[in-house]
Amino acid sequence: MALSISQLAKEHQAFVLTKLKEAEQGLHPSSTEDEELVRRAVFSVRNKSIVFERFNGASSILYASVQDVRPASVEIDFSKEELHCSCPQAKWCRHQVGALLALYQYFDSVQNWSSAWRAQKSVQLKSLADERSPQSWSMMVDEVMKRLLPPGRILEGYGLSAVRTDALERLRRHMPFEREWQPLYKLYMELAIFNSIWRHLNETPGHSLDSPYMKYFIEQSTQSFESILTELSNRSRLFATDPFYDAIQELVREFLLERQGLFANRLRLYMLLWAVLFYEKPRREQELAFINNLVHSSAEISLQSLKLLFYVLLQKEDLLLESLAQIDLPQMQDLFELATFAQRAGEFYSLAVILRAILPLTEVFLQEVVPVVQRAQYVRQFQLLFDEIQLSEEEEAMLYSAFGVYGLQPFSSF
């Protein structure tokens, strides 16, 4: 039996190495739980607790039993390149890792593999969490993400949400015990992970941001941001959290200005945080001053649109009117987002000013710029925005004319 297992291990060496590589990426040496998992897997190999009972040549499945506190059964399917364990643990468990290492020992040293894996540890996540500073929280995210997204790794579209979920699970184990800190911790980690994944997509050739998977990933993250922000807005703000709000301000600014692609989505997140989280006038004045002094070469970033955002927030009505007098068609998408933002922020005077400014360009925007499949949706959103303000008969005629055939239902309701 030992000879046949040795033979099987060597025949399927590539499979064993591939799966162990996946385990290395899925298990973090800086995580106390993962380190314990690997330690116990190695111990089970040394203690001969893993017994390969039989091999089905027809299905290419190797069956193993693991003597543990609760005995477990592991199936290694070489044809489908899958592992299954009878224990309830999701993803990697010590029984699967132990079974792989029990095969690995026939062509390499388990001790060397274990030492190499542990050598990747830089600092315990728990010690960083105990330190509680924006720098330590950022280091925690970096520790987790460099394992899940090593440089050069091509991330399949369906893997975007999986990486996000995996990272959040690992980091939530170290969430502060105090309820006052928990929403802030969750928001910081969500933002840092979102920014880190987007940066990896930008820096690694072979990725496309224009995919249904990316849209789902953004929507999933945005819903989470909104939920956490609602939770945060219902809590009193501690003086000790001020440095974390400063760090979040810099983080969302970096995301907006330094990432590439899907600018409207990045701007939407930026607006969301400035509408709900950063409500202090001095902070908003400070950000506007930063934007006024900014010289940015990226063609996709409209500094003028960013300035308009803060003219709305700070109720700088004269500057808002002056800027809107010079708008053109390429700015329409940003102005549509700005109008939605003004509605959400309760700035109805600014909303009316913006909507009257974009009304003359609405027909060309809807009929020539917006893709056909999205026109009905945009018309509905435009109608909801314009319902918030009082229009003259001439303005109403212009609006419903701009909607075209997609305006029949809104016009009948009107």
Side-chain angles (χ1 to χ4, degrees):
M1 186 67 178
L3 179 62
S4 62
I5 294 299
S6 172
Q7 211 168 359
L8 273 173
K10 289 171 183 174
E11 286 176 5
H12 298 283
Q13 181 175 341
F15 165 81
V16 175
L17 291 173
T18 299
K19 287 298 175 184
L20 279 176
K21 189 68 178 175
E22 290 178 16
E24 287 178 28
Q25 293 177 348
L27 300 170
H28 200 294
S30 297
S31 167
T32 307
E33 294 86 351
D34 291 350
E35 189 172 37
E36 176 66 9
L37 185 151
V38 171
R39 187 190 68 77
R40 295 185 68 169
V42 172
F43 177 78
S44 67
V45 176
R46 289 177 182 163
N47 204 38
K48 302 188 185 304
S49 301
I50 300 169
V51 178
F52 294 108
E53 296 178 331
R54 59 193 175 90
F55 175 67
N56 187 327
S59 60
S60 291
I61 297 178
L62 178 62
Y63 297 88
S65 64
V66 184
Q67 298 304 313
D68 203 347
V69 178
R70 291 183 179 179
S73 300
V74 177
E75 294 181 10
I76 304 175
D77 191 329
F78 293 116
S79 61
K80 295 182 179 178
E81 299 188 343
E82 295 175 348
L83 285 92
H84 302 283
C85 183
S86 61
C87 80
Q89 186 167 333
K91 299 182 182 175
W92 289 106
C93 66
R94 60 181 179 268
H95 311 117
Q96 291 175 322
V97 176
L100 286 172
L101 291 174
L103 293 175
Y104 182 80
Q105 68 180 337
Y106 286 101
F107 52 81
D108 210 331
S109 166
V110 171
Q111 180 61 44
N112 288 346
W113 179 88
S114 174
S115 299
W117 180 78
R118 286 193 174 90
Q120 299 175 59
K121 178 173 70 174
S122 57
V123 64
Q124 283 282 359
L125 293 179
K126 187 177 185 308
S127 63
L128 288 173
D130 291 342
E131 197 175 310
R132 195 172 298 182
S133 68
Q135 294 76 20
S136 64
W137 283 9
S138 295
M139 288 174 67
M140 290 170 68
V141 176
D142 292 343
E143 276 291 308
V144 169
M145 296 309 294
K146 76 182 182 183
R147 297 285 303 164
L148 297 176
L149 285 180
R153 178 187 171 190
I154 301 295
L155 188 62
E156 299 295 337
Y158 56 81
L160 283 167
S161 294
V163 168
R164 170 185 170 272
T165 302
D166 197 356
L168 285 173
E169 284 177 1
R170 294 176 183 281
L171 290 164
R172 278 175 183 162
R173 297 173 191 169
H174 306 283
M175 184 156 46
F177 177 75
E178 303 92 334
R179 293 183 61 188
E180 297 83 356
W181 282 87
Q182 290 176 1
L184 184 62
Y185 180 86
K186 287 189 283 187
L187 178 63
Y188 193 99
M189 295 306 168
E190 281 271 14
L191 271 172
I193 290 169
F194 193 61
N195 186 45
S196 181
I197 292 175
W198 203 299
R199 180 174 60 238
H200 181 84
L201 297 178
N202 286 161
E203 293 176 352
T204 310
H207 287 121
S208 170
L209 298 182
D210 187 19
S211 72
Y213 293 112
M214 187 66 183
K215 290 180 175 64
Y216 174 73
F217 167 67
I218 293 170
E219 182 181 348
Q220 184 185 37
S221 300
T222 303
Q223 288 175 355
S224 182
F225 290 135
E226 290 180 342
S227 174
I228 297 169
L229 286 170
T230 301
E231 192 178 354
L232 259 178
S233 63
N234 295 327
R235 300 283 176 90
S236 56
R237 189 174 293 189
L238 303 174
F239 176 75
T241 61
D242 285 351
F244 295 87
Y245 283 92
D246 294 340
I248 290 174
Q249 180 180 344
E250 292 181 11
L251 185 58
V252 74
R253 182 196 294 163
E254 175 191 327
F255 175 71
L256 178 74
L257 300 177
E258 297 185 20
R259 303 288 80 82
Q260 291 94 44
L262 302 179
F263 178 71
N265 295 98
R266 285 156 41 215
L267 180 61
R268 196 172 299 127
L269 174 60
Y270 183 82
M271 286 180 168
L272 175 64
L273 263 71
W274 278 102
V276 180
L277 190 67
F278 303 128
Y279 50 77
E280 312 100 310
K281 185 175 180 180
R283 191 184 290 273
R284 290 173 172 177
E285 293 277 10
Q286 175 196 41
E287 189 74 0
L288 177 59
F290 176 85
I291 292 168
N292 283 331
N293 293 326
L294 193 62
V295 178
H296 211 281
S297 58
S298 175
E300 67 175 351
I301 295 176
S302 169
L303 294 181
Q304 186 60 28
S305 297
L306 295 181
K307 292 175 185 178
L308 288 172
L309 164 65
F310 287 94
Y311 294 163
V312 171
L313 285 173
L314 294 166
Q315 299 177 339
K316 294 182 179 292
E317 297 162 3
D318 293 342
L319 290 173
L320 181 64
L321 285 166
E322 182 183 334
S323 299
L324 289 173
Q326 306 167 23
I327 65 168
D328 51 21
L329 189 61
Q331 291 178 275
M332 273 294 289
Q333 181 63 53
D334 292 350
L335 291 170
F336 169 71
E337 298 291 348
L338 184 65
T340 305
F341 168 81
Q343 180 195 35
R344 177 167 188 159
E347 299 290 347
F348 293 104
Y349 175 81
S350 296
L351 175 64
V353 170
I354 296 166
L355 291 178
R356 285 195 166 87
I358 67 176
L359 183 57
L361 298 172
T362 299
E363 182 172 2
V364 180
F365 176 71
L366 290 174
Q367 306 303 327
E368 297 182 17
V369 178
V370 175
V372 175
V373 295
Q374 296 179 13
R375 283 179 192 165
Q377 176 188 350
Y378 267 82
V379 165
R380 176 62 178 158
Q381 290 173 313
F382 266 83
Q383 182 203 7
L384 291 173
L385 287 172
F386 277 94
D387 280 348
E388 297 284 352
I389 68 171
Q390 189 70 36
L391 295 175
S392 66
E393 288 187 13
E394 183 182 352
E395 289 170 331
E396 286 167 350
M398 186 183 299
L399 177 66
Y400 286 102
S401 172
F403 289 166
V405 296
Y406 301 96
L408 290 176
Q409 180 61 45
F411 184 71
S412 65
S413 300
F414 166 73

